[in-house]
Amino acid sequence: MKKIAKLVLFLIIFGIFIYLRITPLLNQTVPYTYDQGRDFLKAEEIVRFKNITFLGPTTGIMGLNHGPWWYYFLSIPYFLFNGHPLGFYYFMFIFSVIANLLFFYFLEKKYSFKTGLLFLTITSVSPYFISMNFAISNNTIVIYMILGLIALIFSLFKNKNQSSWIFLVGLFLGFIHEFEVSFGLFIIPVFLFLTLIFKKLRKIFFTKNGLLNFIFGLIIAFLPRILFETKNGFSQTKTLINFIFSPKFHNPKPFKIVFYDRLNLFISYFKSIFVEYNLHLSIFALSIIISVLIFYKKDLKKHLYLIFIIFLILFLFLISLFYKDNFWANYYEGIQYLILFVFLISFYILEKKHKIIAKVILIVFMIFTITFFTKNIFIKNNQIKDFKAIDKAVNYIIDKNGKKDFCVKIYTPPVVPYTYNYLFSYYSKIKNIPYPKKDWVNNQCYFIIEKDDYLFRVQEWMKNNLPENSQKISSFKINEDIKIELWKKN
């Protein structure tokens, strides 16, 4: 009976987890913006046109790029789904479900079923973790690297055979850097510094085999970057060194403001994990957990890895204070999992000492989660630039022209219309139709015009792209943000 009750509870929460992530996919209302279009085109280059790359997406530092692993990751769904744009989203959905299920299994086996269920209960309705499921960009992979890193830190403290774990730590830290350079630049030195503080890790890492395994892991993750740098005179390395020692700030701030900015940022990291109901409960639960941990502080010695992760979060905060410019939330993408893990293991310690209190906290979390789900199940949450709208615009033009040549000019506020370019490229391959031309065909051209808050920019673009004496033949409105006009030259 106990096993059946566990299974029922798991299926209820896991059902909510799946529903909130699969529904936008089925409705085709996932966000589809500049970054997605750009990256899908790059995956197409790799798979369809066999154009291998050693350079990833751009970072906020001019001349420094993320690693290319993100593009190769996207090449997998491109190959599996034959380039279908929604295939990337379904692949990320599957990847996310598997990663979270594996972490649930890890928590259940190493701690307790209640700890694992609390993890799923929180993440199932978490605004942050749901949004990350649809944010198809290089930094989204970092959050799953963080999950792996947490399990590896646990293994370093608990298991005897360390060499393979050290290699994987180097590999995962390297991948964090390559998928989100800013996080890598902060977390790698902080992690190494903490290995000096913790005696157990110091004995493992700072040996000949330990350092070699760690460096080998880093090298594998950095290999495409190393090849690119070797070929291009270490241009990115020089850029990074110059940035570290002679930083150019866009918006420099005094230390007092920087401190409050970072403090508010870390508070926002915590808040983003929970929906409104669970946020208040989490603060209440946290106050109880802290009280228990203080009272039973001797028990913390059994969980040194937890202290390590707490220090990791603390030092990531401290090191961020040295950066006096704007510090965007995605610089520490995935730190929410570190914060949540501290919360979960603290809950586990509470569960060991006060089972009834822990059970009440879990039950209330589940009630709030189910209540939130039932209240929001029928609320539509369409994105401003979702896939469905842009796909409708592209197919409207394709349906009008069939297999004839046609001209399309596109105005979109991000300037480069990667989103439309990828869809036209995909349908030209699948439907065996011409790719749109930029020059007018039979004196006609379609204009896809996206809404811009600065109307003068749209007017100026139209003026530059419309020849004199041209006239509008037809107009079709996709939604409030996208319209299509057919123009003819006289």
Side-chain angles (χ1 to χ4, degrees), residues 106-164:
F106 165 76
L107 291 171
E108 184 190 24
K109 290 298 177 184
K110 302 300 182 183
Y111 302 99
S112 69
F113 173 77
K114 291 187 183 71
T115 306
L117 190 62
L118 181 60
F119 165 73
L120 273 185
T121 301
I122 292 171
T123 55
S124 64
V125 293
S126 166
Y128 173 75
F129 293 121
I130 291 175
S131 67
M132 282 294 101
N133 197 81
F134 307 120
I136 312 295
S137 59
N138 54 284
N139 53 308
T140 55
I141 302 300
V142 175
I143 68 175
Y144 306 113
M145 295 294 111
I146 294 294
L147 278 182
L149 187 63
I150 290 170
L152 288 170
I153 292 169
F154 174 89
S155 300
L156 285 173
F157 278 94
K158 293 293 184 179
N159 297 330
K160 292 182 179 179
N161 184 16
Q162 308 293 354
S163 58
S164 58

Side-chain angles (χ1 to χ4, degrees), residues 40-72:
F40 295 174
L41 283 167
K42 202 67 182 178
E44 181 183 48
E45 283 185 28
I46 294 171
V47 180
R48 185 181 176 188
F49 302 117
K50 309 297 186 295
N51 186 10
I52 305 301
T53 182
F54 295 115
L55 198 63
T58 57
T59 69
I61 304 173
M62 188 67 69
L64 181 66
N65 288 56
H66 298 294
W69 289 112
W70 168 240
Y71 293 148
Y72 290 106

